[in-house]
Amino acid sequence: MAEFTMELNEEQKEVRDWLHGFAAEVIRPAAAEWDEREETPWPVIQEAAKVGIYSLDFYAQQYFDATGLGIPMVMEELFWGDAGIALSIVGTGLAAVGVLANGTEEQIGTWIPQMYGDVNDVKVAAFCSSEPDAGSDVASMRTRAVYDEAKDEWVINGTKTWATNGGIAGVHVVVAVVDPELGSKGHASFIVPPNTPGCSQGQKFKKHGIRASHTAEVILDNVRVPGSCLLGGKEKLDERLARARERAKQGGERVKNAAMATFEASRPAVGAMAVGTARAAYEVALEYARTREQFGRPIVDNQGVAFQLADMRTQIDAARLLVWRASWMAVNGKPFTAAEGSMSKLYASETAKQVTAQAIQILGGNGYTREYPVERMHRDAAIYTIFEGTSEIQRLVIARTLSGMPIR
Ligand SMILES: Cc1cc2nc3c(=O)[nH]c(=O)nc-3n(C[C@H](O)[C@H](O)[C@H](O)COP(=O)(O)OP(=O)(O)OC[C@H]3O[C@@H](n4cnc5c(N)ncnc54)[C@H](O)[C@@H]3O)c2cc1C
């Protein structure tokens, strides 16, 4: 197990500086254009693929880094550049993690490379769990997967919503109900290969922020996938369902808590995205406050402005520390006895919303226009308190973990 450290090592600093260069030179200058276009920034993703930032190898290296600081560092730098474009770059990773966590070695080897495509023909992938009636309440999921034993195929029907890259993805990873009696333990994940008949894009959402990231419904109408597309395989699923049925008979609480633990481990990454956006807005505000003069002196010379900047920076640093701690715990298998993953996501996402709002205030009228980036950053920041579990759900998980109450 790696010791917890609050400093990046030399190799990580090099990677961070390289990512920062890409974020500053490629992502940031493209941000306003793709925000206005509300389209996936394919040329930027392609550029990221060319330099090695959009690749399975790169993320796997960071994901398995024992210090736990690899993924937070990547997220913070890319999202510092721009949240919408960065989500377009890392969105495929959400689907890839779904396969890495549940897939067999063969499934990982077959599908993850197809999710990324190659430098000359980049692809994106989508992870589809949320539904119109199952957002925070994942157990209400209705999309159904039924096994057709004669053909060794799964037949999937339902409507997914809010899927990042939904419909424009080659590979879709779809979570569906295989045993409705078992709540979230009766779910399984499936690969829906590119161009599978019956899988199509529904409504594409016009959003408040992260507009360079594509978000849409995914319709699954009698989608047939081979048995080999069930992540983890049928034998493992049957064993898992049998265990879940047994536990459900004994009360079920352990079952539900185990499901929540998976989310705990992925939440610090979202916290790190929020830290990136918050830091970006803070830096713009600090620079502006030092150079903008009113009443014959820089506005930072007023305590009312300077103290805001002091609070902004303090909150950003505190958020980063919570994110790094939770990420280190996740990589090293430390139990989240106080829901530290949720804590990091809650604090960092609320910080991003608050800091970006303060940045607008510090820039005054300019902050309110699209001539300056903080207006976009504030719109972008609003997503962090919503996806991967809303702030209310994070508080619920933390409170129930602390009090020993079951997480429903
Ligand atoms: C831009 C974007 C991208 C997304 N990307 C993906 C993706 O790639 N894949 C995917 O599967 N999903 C994705 N999501 C979905 C996202 O995870 C959900 O929107 C989120 O989980 C909230 O669900 P909901 O929108 O249905 O809100 P609801 O669950 O309906 O919540 C509405 C409000 O009620 C509150 N609330 C609900 N239950 C409780 C409770 N028990 N106690 C207190 N308050 C409560 C919530 O906190 C919230 O404020 C994305 C969403 C967006 C907006």
Side-chain angles (χ1 to χ4, degrees), residues 85-250:
I85 293 178
L87 191 61
S88 283
I89 293 172
V90 306
T92 296
L94 303 178
V97 166
V99 178
L100 273 177
N102 302 307
T104 61
E105 270 183 32
E106 198 185 336
Q107 288 169 330
I108 292 169
T110 306
W111 296 111
I112 298 189
Q114 291 196 44
M115 290 180 166
Y116 285 91
D118 60 56
V119 183
N120 299 317
D121 185 19
V122 287
K123 304 281 184 208
V124 292
F127 178 75
C128 313
S129 171
S130 302
E131 296 182 3
D133 292 324
S136 304
D137 184 9
V138 179
S140 300
M141 189 178 288
R142 289 201 204 139
T143 295
R144 191 77 165 91
V146 177
Y147 187 52
D148 178 345
E149 201 162 356
K151 292 187 173 161
D152 182 28
E153 283 178 349
W154 287 89
V155 187
I156 310 173
N157 277 291
T159 299
K160 294 293 178 183
T161 193
W162 307 123
T164 299
N165 297 334
I168 61 166
V171 176
H172 290 77
V173 176
V174 170
V175 187
V177 177
V178 289
D179 183 337
E181 302 293 310
L182 290 174
S184 59
K185 270 287 155 178
H187 297 173
S189 298
F190 298 86
I191 293 284
V192 177
N195 305 317
T196 301
C199 176
S200 61
Q201 182 182 307
Q203 180 190 1
K204 177 188 169 185
F205 296 103
K206 288 180 82 68
K207 303 194 300 294
H208 176 62
I210 53 163
R211 300 196 303 184
S213 167
H214 171 103
T215 315
E217 289 178 330
V218 174
I219 316 291
L220 301 144
D221 181 14
N222 274 323
V223 167
R224 285 188 164 265
V225 297
S228 59
C229 285
L230 166 66
L231 288 177
K234 183 83 166 59
E235 200 176 316
K236 211 167 145 200
L237 173 70
D238 289 341
E239 282 169 19
R240 181 163 65 76
L241 293 178
R243 274 199 310 275
R245 283 180 198 118
E246 198 49 44
R247 282 185 191 156
K249 272 193 224 153
Q250 295 162 7

Side-chain angles (χ1 to χ4, degrees), residues 7 10-11 14 34 37-38 51 53 81 112 141 169 172 196 205 243 270 332 350-351 359 361 389:
E7 224 189 334
E10 286 311 310
E11 200 181 319
E14 267 178 38
W34 292 99
R37 288 172 67 160
E38 298 196 45
V51 299
I53 291 173
I112 298 189
M141 189 178 288
H172 290 77
T196 301
F205 296 103
R243 274 199 310 275
V270 180
N332 289 286
E350 293 292 342
T351 293
Q361 192 64 20

